[in-house]
Amino acid sequence: MKNTNKNINYSGTFPKYYDLINKGKDYDKEAEIIDSVIRKYSKKKSLKLADVGCGTGNHTIAFSRMGYRAYGFDVSRHMISIARGKSTGLHFECKSFEDVDEPFDVIVSLFDVVNALGPYKNLAGFFRSVAKNMKNDSIFIFDAWNGSAVFLHPPEIKTKAIEWKGLKIERKVIPKTDFLRQVCTLKYDIKAYKNGRLAEHVHPSLVINFFTYNEIVNALDDSGLKVVQAFPYKEPSKKIAENDWKINFVCKLR
Ligand SMILES: C[S@@+](CC[C@H](N)C(=O)[O-])C[C@H]1O[C@@H](n2cnc3c(N)ncnc32)[C@H](O)[C@@H]1O
């Protein structure tokens, strides 16, 4: 099924501010943790990896530096154009994975990609597009918001001050959660000050569809995939619990 979601905002101002909004996220460290998990399941050298929903390419670049033959795919041409602007010679393609037809050893979808696909009906279609590009020994690793944690501990307003390219940035994120429909809208309020004066003030927003653990497992099952490991975000040695804010899933073909 084609991704029919019209709500996600990876065009307009959001891509421009994406790396700024996520400044402080340690992509290299996260890629190292994911690499340690991949190594548990594959001893092959020079693995061919697809980063699906690669956004501005930070994980793709990190995996490439670690020796993976890394390819980045994203449906947003704005995000892809930022990714292309960063890296030398890496393959970034503005394409839905449904339109990709080649086998990968590893497929990753990191930092809430499955929460950016739109409503639940889109989930199994996305997983099927992943499964069709996997071989028997391929693995698929993704992370997702954990619905039960959202119900138990709803997202709250967060503020952060950062320095960026000579600017002082104040970043506020205001979540509005619709528990019935399992949708959280994150409204960002970003103010950039230059020499103490307000230089820019933008309000990008992002729609997150969150799912429970069981919903995700069922969608995987419907798509021919099985979970071989699930762990709290970035903590592969631990077991998951209802309170874990985010879960990493490791999957193989069923
Ligand atoms: C929260 S961003 C994560 C980007 C990147 N993985 C990162 O870690 O910074 C979610 C990304 O998923 C992309 N996306 C949404 N639906 C997609 C789809 N069906 N196929 C591929 N990418 C998709 C969006 O364009 C966006 O760049």
Side-chain angles (χ1 to χ4, degrees):
M1 192 201 306
K2 288 269 177 211
N3 176 20
T4 53
N5 177 35
K6 298 275 185 269
N7 294 324
I8 48 172
N9 192 355
Y10 289 99
S11 56
T13 49
F14 197 76
K16 185 175 163 200
Y17 292 100
Y18 184 81
D19 283 336
L20 169 62
I21 286 170
N22 296 307
K23 205 171 184 307
K25 180 176 168 68
D26 192 341
Y27 280 91
D28 291 344
K29 180 77 200 157
E30 193 175 341
E32 266 174 39
I33 294 167
I34 299 295
D35 172 63
S36 73
V37 176
I38 295 169
R39 293 296 158 199
K40 245 178 78 178
Y41 295 93
S42 180
K43 303 288 169 235
K44 268 200 215 166
K45 286 191 181 135
S46 179
L47 292 164
K48 185 175 172 192
L49 176 146
D51 182 4
V52 182
C54 65
T56 58
N58 298 325
H59 286 119
T60 329
I61 294 166
F63 282 115
S64 164
R65 282 201 199 112
M66 294 166 79
Y68 287 85
R69 287 179 287 132
Y71 297 73
F73 300 93
D74 201 288
V75 288
S76 161
R77 67 185 167 83
H78 302 271
M79 299 292 266
I80 284 290
S81 98
I82 295 171
R84 284 186 184 141
K86 281 179 191 173
S87 78
T88 45
L90 266 188
H91 180 102
F92 285 111
E93 224 177 319
C94 180
K95 215 177 201 184
S96 162
F97 212 49
E98 292 157 38
D99 301 324
V100 176
D101 198 8
E102 61 178 288
F104 289 89
D105 301 304
V106 181
I107 299 176
V108 295
S109 275
L110 301 172
F111 201 13
D112 309 335
V113 173
V114 301
N115 301 109
L117 300 172
Y120 187 70
K121 64 179 174 150
N122 294 349
L123 207 53
F126 177 75
F127 289 150
R128 269 194 296 276
S129 74
V130 169
K132 94 176 154 68
N133 290 311
M134 288 171 72
K135 302 171 282 183
N136 281 340
D137 58 353
S138 304
I139 59 169
F140 170 43
I141 303 184
F142 66 97
D143 58 51
W145 284 33
N146 176 14
S148 65
V150 182
F151 292 125
L152 293 167
H153 309 286
E156 292 174 352
I157 294 177
K158 278 189 196 154
T159 51
K160 201 170 175 182
I162 37 184
E163 300 273 343
W164 185 68
K165 294 184 181 173
L167 298 170
K168 254 199 157 98
I169 310 282
E170 281 173 16
R171 188 189 75 177
K172 188 175 188 180
V173 54
I174 305 152
K176 192 163 176 258
T177 311
D178 178 340
F179 295 98
L180 181 66
R181 292 174 186 81
Q182 298 183 201
V183 175
C184 179
T185 305
L186 300 175
K187 286 196 185 301
Y188 290 89
D189 185 90
I190 300 172
K191 290 178 185 157
Y193 294 89
K194 197 168 191 176
N195 304 321
R197 300 183 73 151
L198 186 64
E200 204 162 358
H201 189 181
V202 291
H203 310 83
S205 66
L206 181 61
V207 175
I208 295 281
N209 289 263
F210 56 91
F211 313 112
T212 64
Y213 174 79
N214 272 351
E215 285 171 334
I216 292 173
V217 172
N218 287 341
L220 287 165
D221 192 51
D222 285 346
S223 316
L225 290 163
K226 65 177 178 198
V227 179
V228 292
Q229 189 183 346
F231 56 90
Y233 183 53
K234 297 200 290 190
E235 297 189 278
S237 60
K238 294 196 178 156
K239 289 206 176 344
I240 51 164
E242 61 185 17
N243 284 329
D244 291 320
W245 179 246
K246 258 175 47 149
I247 296 177
N248 277 104
F249 293 82
V250 185
C251 306
K252 293 192 103 170
L253 289 178
R254 240 186 317 116

